[in-house]
Amino acid sequence: SHPNPAKDETNISFLTTDQEQVSLKIYSILGHLLEEMKNEKYKSGHHQIPVDLSSFPPGTYFYTLKVGNHKTTDKLIITK
């Protein structure tokens, strides 16, 4: 994601090689699901999902991006 650390918004970038199901989920540091941001099909190509962070308090979170059968988890730090 960029920027990271982020204040009010970040962007998650990814590539699809075919039409694929994409999901983006935000988790607390304890692993609790806080929000499912996306769960839809994307055509092949480069994509970006803007993520509004204004409702999240400052802290460390994790996001999981699943593109087809490939899943990536990364840390997201929110500052104010």
Side-chain angles (χ1 to χ4, degrees), residues 1-2 10-14 20-27 33-42 47-53 56 61-68 70-76:
S1 69
H2 59 279
T10 191
N11 293 292
I12 311 286
S13 301
F14 60 95
E20 296 181 278
Q21 189 72 25
V22 174
S23 71
L24 175 63
K25 297 177 182 179
I26 308 287
Y27 294 89
L33 176 63
L34 300 176
E35 191 166 345
E36 185 167 2
M37 308 296 284
K38 288 284 180 188
N39 190 8
E40 58 190 61
K41 287 194 175 187
Y42 282 79
H47 303 279
Q48 235 183 42
I49 300 174
V51 180
D52 179 7
L53 303 172
F56 290 91
Y61 300 83
F62 292 96
Y63 69 87
T64 298
L65 177 68
K66 186 174 180 191
V67 178
H70 181 73
K71 186 162 94 171
T72 303
T73 300
D74 206 352
K75 188 180 348 182
L76 173 63

